[in-house]
């Protein structure tokens, strides 16, 4: 084979290999550089009462869920009934982070659809979301007792994700 033809053939084989690897990955599993690292700390007002502040520091010693949501988010509305049902199990505190939203719209949604959150913090300008690397809403984080992010779900939580990934992880982290 001529050397001139060998380079394009090798390049083509490499391209096909990368394509095959990419097609076998789950597009919902975007690796997060925050997994295994301390959750970014913040202190912002709560949705229901802006005078009351929330900080992840107050959750130390507990396994907890941070669910980033917004009233304008269609996918958030899809996962909302599941979160409402899951919250009734009292498995762990679910903290909401209302992201780039209007306070009144968010309060209306929670009063109409049910409120799964132990509390919701209000991130109207999205600054906290930026620190957490939020791609879009909804996103959900499981944070351990020491404040380390152990799991990130991009997109709505489904019953399968809750059963197969989140629930076993919560059980494991609660035993530590």
């Amino acid at each position: 084979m001529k050397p001139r033809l060998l380079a394009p053939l090798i390049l083509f084989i490499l391209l096909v290999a990368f394509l095959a690897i990419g097609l076998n990955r789950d597009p919902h599993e975007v690796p997060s550089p925050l997994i295994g690292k301390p959750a970014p700390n913040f202190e912002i007002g709560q949705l229901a009462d802006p005078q009351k502040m929330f900080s992840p520091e107050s959750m130390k010693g507990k396994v907890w869920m941070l669910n980033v949501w917004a009233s304008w988010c269609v996918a958030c509305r899809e996962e909302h009934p599941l979160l409402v049902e899951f919250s009734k199990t009292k498995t762990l505190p679910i903290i909401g982070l209302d992201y780039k939203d209007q306070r009144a719209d968010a309060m209306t949604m929670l009063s109409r659809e049910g409120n799964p959150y132990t509390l919701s913090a209000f991130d109207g300008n999205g600054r906290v979301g930026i620190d957490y690397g939020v791609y879009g809403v909804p996103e959900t984080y499981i944070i351990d007792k020491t404040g380390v992010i152990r799991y990130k779900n991009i997109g709505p939580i489904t019953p399968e994700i809750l059963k197969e990934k989140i629930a076993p992880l919560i059980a494991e982290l609660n035993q530590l």
Side-chain angles (χ1 to χ4, degrees):
M1 186 176 271
K2 295 182 181 180
R4 276 185 17 204
L5 297 176
L6 192 57
L9 179 62
I10 291 172
L11 186 60
F12 176 75
I13 291 170
L14 285 173
L15 183 61
V16 168
F18 282 122
L19 181 61
I21 291 168
L23 289 175
N24 287 319
R25 293 191 176 205
D26 184 349
H28 289 36
E29 290 189 23
V30 178
S32 172
L34 294 177
I35 302 295
K37 295 194 172 111
N41 199 25
F42 60 88
E43 186 175 52
I44 57 175
Q46 294 183 24
L47 175 64
D49 184 354
Q51 302 307 314
K52 289 185 180 176
M53 303 305 280
F54 171 76
S55 172
E57 282 293 314
S58 67
M59 300 305 291
K60 289 274 174 107
K62 300 175 188 172
V63 176
W64 59 288
M65 177 185 289
L66 178 67
N67 178 253
V68 184
W69 67 283
S71 64
W72 48 261
C73 166
V74 174
C76 298
R77 290 177 186 260
E78 287 176 22
E79 86 172 350
H80 196 80
L82 181 64
L83 288 176
V84 169
E85 283 304 308
F86 181 63
S87 71
K88 292 176 184 175
T89 68
K90 302 204 182 295
T91 304
L92 80 169
I94 303 174
I95 306 299
L97 182 66
D98 185 27
Y99 180 72
K100 292 186 177 180
D101 205 353
Q102 299 297 315
R103 192 179 298 272
D105 294 342
M107 293 297 296
T108 299
M109 179 185 151
L110 291 178
S111 66
R112 188 177 59 239
E113 310 283 332
N115 188 348
Y117 304 112
T118 305
L119 67 88
S120 267
F122 183 67
D123 187 21
N125 62 11
R127 306 256 334 155
V128 173
I130 290 170
D131 290 344
Y132 276 76
V134 171
Y135 294 96
V137 289
E139 287 191 12
T140 303
Y141 301 81
I142 302 298
I143 301 169
D144 72 14
K145 295 175 184 178
T146 64
V148 173
I149 296 173
R150 296 298 175 185
Y151 176 78
K152 178 180 180 179
N153 186 76
I154 298 171
I157 294 173
T158 63
E160 295 78 25
I161 290 170
L162 189 59
K163 181 181 175 186
E164 296 169 12
K165 293 184 180 180
I166 294 175
L169 177 61
I170 292 168
E172 176 186 331
L173 293 174
N174 275 323
Q175 290 180 359
L176 298 177

